[in-house]
Amino acid sequence: MEWFRKHKGIRKLLLVLADAVFITAALYCAYVLRFERFFGQVQFYNALRVLPWVLAVYFTCYTAGGLYRVLWRYAGGAEVTRLALLSAAAGAVLCWLDVRFVWNISRGMLLIQSGIACALIGAGRLLWKNFLNNGFAIRRHRMGPRMMIVGAGMAGAYLVDLCKRDPSAGNPVLFVDNLNSKQGHKIHGVPVRGKDADIPQLAKKHAISDIVIAVPDIEGDKLNNLVALCKSTGCHVRVLMRMQNETAAGRNMFLRELNIGDFLSRKEIVLDTQGIEEYITGKVVLVTGGGGSIGSELCRQIIRFHPAKLIVFDIYENCAYELECELKRRYGKDVPVEVLIGSVREPARLKEVFGTEKPEVVFHAAAHKHVPLMEASPAEAVKNNVFGTKNVLEAAAVSGVKRFVLLSTDKAVNPTNVMGATKRVTEMLMQYYAKKTEMKCMAVRFGNVLGSHGSVIPLFESQIKAGGPVTVTHPDIIRYFMTIPEAAQLVLQAGAIARSGSVCVLDMGEPVRIDDLARQLIRFYGYEPGVTMDIVYTGLRPGEKLYEELLTDAEQGKMERTDHEKIMIAPTEELVPEEFEQALSRLAEAAQHNDAHVVEVLRGIVPGFHEDDRGK
């Protein structure tokens, strides 16, 4: 079998010989069906006389139509349609030749022959496909884990076909599906034996080791609950996913492992791609902090919209370099990406970069974000977050940037920590420059990003892999969460629809209890919370509060909806330029020393910053 697979020429020769037999047989069948009773053997002798012409026409049509370039091992409906059209074309050409050269053959017989030839060759191709995939043996039972497929639809059928082609992918034993109409039926020989609620019982009864969720359109709580049910069996659980921007089941599907993002699955974001293209496509785009979690995902999303050039600006070269390699590997070595190293705290370097590259769109993602660390070093938070942002805004304004998008955080709302307060000042800076310059400025405010550097998920995972315990600061602490791609896509969308000087607030969905998230993650790794893996409550850290808010008191009830259901616009707060400039000067002077005076000045600038509430 392996020898046969390696000899491509022999395989094609056999296909051609088989087609010749099928075409000849089709001609005879057409003669028998149409003419034997009425014209005796005259038509048959005439047909044999022109058989070489018949074969030549069919092979010419099949070759020109690319039939012999098809990999029949992976063929489907499109290839069968091609075969039918080419066979019909061959029949039509033969009818024309009969008129032209007076073969004295009934053209009705030639047309019937084309249909019979298509049927015979199509059946032969199906047998050929089975031979290439299985060697005429049911090999899927010899290899691969015993698999349960959740979802008896097109995706599930595709997965069975995939396992036939690659037995090591798994041995499909049964389907489960919630539709009553599918119960008791078989799909490619695999029976549908129950519904979702029966998964634990069926997994045990049939000794299942692998479960694949083959329902690409499932999302939100339905996916969360199904994942939890499958994980409760102790089986290896995977998901059959549809590739991005694809809509039909088939070869655009791929298997992937579960990840923690599946626990927070929400409805897929629908982007206004035309609006994003208008300000990204063909433009020079710069992303500060482009090597970070959010910055790098922004770069991945931006490059899909074909900017003239994407500039990744970051102080940390390793992550930026890895992103550059990834983008070149995915889109080719000529992808218009350039990595520039530098700090937002250095005005001279920013002036040099902006003056040379002339970016038209800037996404400012660079910031110190770790709350407890910034509590210990408030002056550094101010220098990097506040005055780093001011440096970027100033360089952007001077160089003629058209659009500036600031990434903010829900911690900027009624902040109880230095990091949140500094981010609130950056929102005020954005509004200040929106009025001061012609540049279109906006901020995008959102909550925690699942899996980003410094977030709770990587911490929990490292603790679980180390054998525990898992530490949670407080049993009642809640946070808003988004996945990294979700946040990046909405940031791009907000940049397309926001007014200058506005703060866009993203709809983060329902808040999540960190304690619940920790327990889900523990079960995800096969442990039981409080039984095989302990959870320890350590108390709130400096600057941490039980819950975050997305809106200030002044913004409550005044939010404006946009054309996108997940993006709202907060009302613009009026700044007195002279007072704000004086406050920034005091803050710059205070930041020369890392002491409590920095926090006092911050509290005077940021309404709602209550230092006494920190840690409560």
Side-chain angles (χ1 to χ4, degrees), residues 166-194:
D166 181 11
S168 63
N171 170 20
V173 174
L174 60 92
F175 282 98
V176 296
D177 196 289
N178 283 334
L179 288 180
N180 291 327
S181 59
K182 295 183 179 181
Q183 301 303 313
H185 291 274
K186 290 186 177 181
I187 299 175
H188 296 334
V190 180
V192 182
R193 295 194 181 277

Side-chain angles (χ1 to χ4, degrees), residues 364 381-394 397 404 406 408 421-437 439-443 500-503 573 575 577 580-581 583-585 587 602 605-606:
H364 181 48
V382 167
K383 292 175 186 176
N384 195 75
N385 293 1
V386 175
F387 293 102
T389 299
K390 183 176 184 296
N391 294 338
V392 178
L393 279 163
E394 187 65 32
F404 185 98
L406 167 72
S408 190
T422 60
K423 294 300 286 184
R424 178 63 190 129
V425 177
T426 65
E427 292 181 355
M428 298 164 72
L429 272 168
M430 174 277 299
Q431 293 173 330
Y432 173 76
Y433 273 83
K435 291 184 177 181
K436 177 183 176 182
T437 69
M439 183 167 55
K440 188 173 184 179
C441 302
M442 62 213 67
S500 186
S502 63
V503 176
E573 292 187 18
L575 291 176
F580 185 60
E581 291 167 0
L584 287 177
S585 297
L587 186 60
L602 269 177
I605 299 175
V606 179

Side-chain angles (χ1 to χ4, degrees), residues 26 30 58 62 84 87-92 109-119:
Y58 270 92
Y62 287 167
S87 298
M109 184 178 72
L110 293 174
L111 293 175
I112 292 174
Q113 182 210 10
S114 68
I116 297 174
C118 176

